[in-house]
Amino acid sequence: MKALILIDYTNDFVADDGKLTTGAAGQAIDAAVAQAVSDACTRGDMIFSVNDLHHAGEAGHPETKLFPPHNIEGTSGRELYGMTGEAFAMARQVRPEKAVWLDKLRYSAFAGTPLDILLRQNGIHEIELAGVCTDICVLHTAVDAYDLNYDVTVRPELTASFSPEGHRFALAHFRNSLGFNVPEPEEADGD
Ligand code: ZN
């Protein structure tokens, strides 16, 4: 069994009116990410949707100096975006034990979350990363996955960033410095 790790694909990071949105770049991957969620569900793979959790008036969090408030608990900004949100909701109905929502407090999906324990508990060594932003939360998750010896795939068409340069840098880093499988988009279409 494998796992799809879907990172921060929430309204605040993707929708036009999101508080910290990647906009068109993030929206452009919705159909492909939704398909990846649906395919993972069909195969019986695990799907982890791991999302920023912030609170109004939060003090002491390093992001408060860097970004406007986003992904505030209980707001629609913290709900999954678009077709991907529908696909994850469907996966939770069909295979509730395999579609897991986790909250995270830092960029990495591994930082302070039970993700590593849950992957190991299920005997999973192969993971795929998807979501936003390629060069922030996906990157930090990737570095932790590397340190934890996971076998990682990142399909470029399942990730996006505010910055095209940052997106390309992160993908090159995954391929050349972390040794991840980063297939060319046309190859990924055929599998
Ligand atoms: Zn955040």
Side-chain angles (χ1 to χ4, degrees), residues 8 13 20 52-54 61 63 67 70-71 104-105 107:
D8 281 333
F13 285 109
L20 191 54
D52 256 14
L53 171 63
H54 292 287
H61 194 297
E63 282 180 35
F67 302 114
H70 58 276
N71 270 37
K104 65 184 178 67
L105 300 180
Y107 297 145

Side-chain angles (χ1 to χ4, degrees), residues 4-176:
L4 176 67
I5 315 294
L6 176 60
I7 298 161
D8 281 333
Y9 203 71
T10 65
N11 288 323
D12 269 351
F13 285 109
V14 182
D16 282 336
D17 61 352
K19 299 290 192 292
L20 191 54
T21 188
T22 54
Q27 292 161 21
I29 65 172
D30 186 26
V33 174
Q35 187 66 50
V37 169
S38 164
D39 290 347
C41 181
T42 301
R43 286 193 302 267
D45 287 345
M46 291 200 75
I47 305 160
F48 292 90
S49 176
V50 193
N51 301 290
D52 256 14
L53 171 63
H54 292 287
H55 298 92
E58 171 174 78
H61 194 297
E63 282 180 35
T64 56
K65 287 179 268 183
L66 299 168
F67 302 114
H70 58 276
N71 270 37
I72 302 293
E73 182 169 38
T75 64
S76 61
R78 218 168 87 82
E79 292 169 12
L80 293 186
Y81 177 82
M83 288 182 273
T84 297
E86 291 168 20
F88 185 72
M90 180 64 74
R92 288 197 105 170
Q93 276 186 10
V94 176
R95 298 184 197 271
E97 75 287 2
K98 293 196 171 179
V100 179
W101 176 288
L102 295 178
D103 296 326
K104 65 184 178 67
L105 300 180
R106 292 294 187 270
Y107 297 145
S108 171
F110 288 98
T113 75
L115 180 58
D116 181 53
I117 288 174
L118 291 172
L119 289 168
R120 287 172 194 280
Q121 182 174 298
N122 286 281
I124 296 171
H125 307 287
E126 287 182 58
I127 63 175
E128 176 163 20
L129 306 182
V132 296
C133 300
T134 325
D135 52 336
I136 306 179
C137 288
V138 178
L139 173 65
H140 284 252
T141 301
V143 171
D144 282 345
Y146 171 87
D147 287 348
L148 293 165
N149 274 78
Y150 283 99
D151 182 349
V152 184
T153 294
V154 184
R155 281 186 270 165
E157 67 272 28
L158 301 187
T159 58
S161 175
F162 306 104
S163 149
E165 298 79 19
H167 177 70
R168 283 193 294 273
F169 155 77
L171 291 172
H173 185 74
F174 300 157
R175 184 186 287 121
N176 301 325

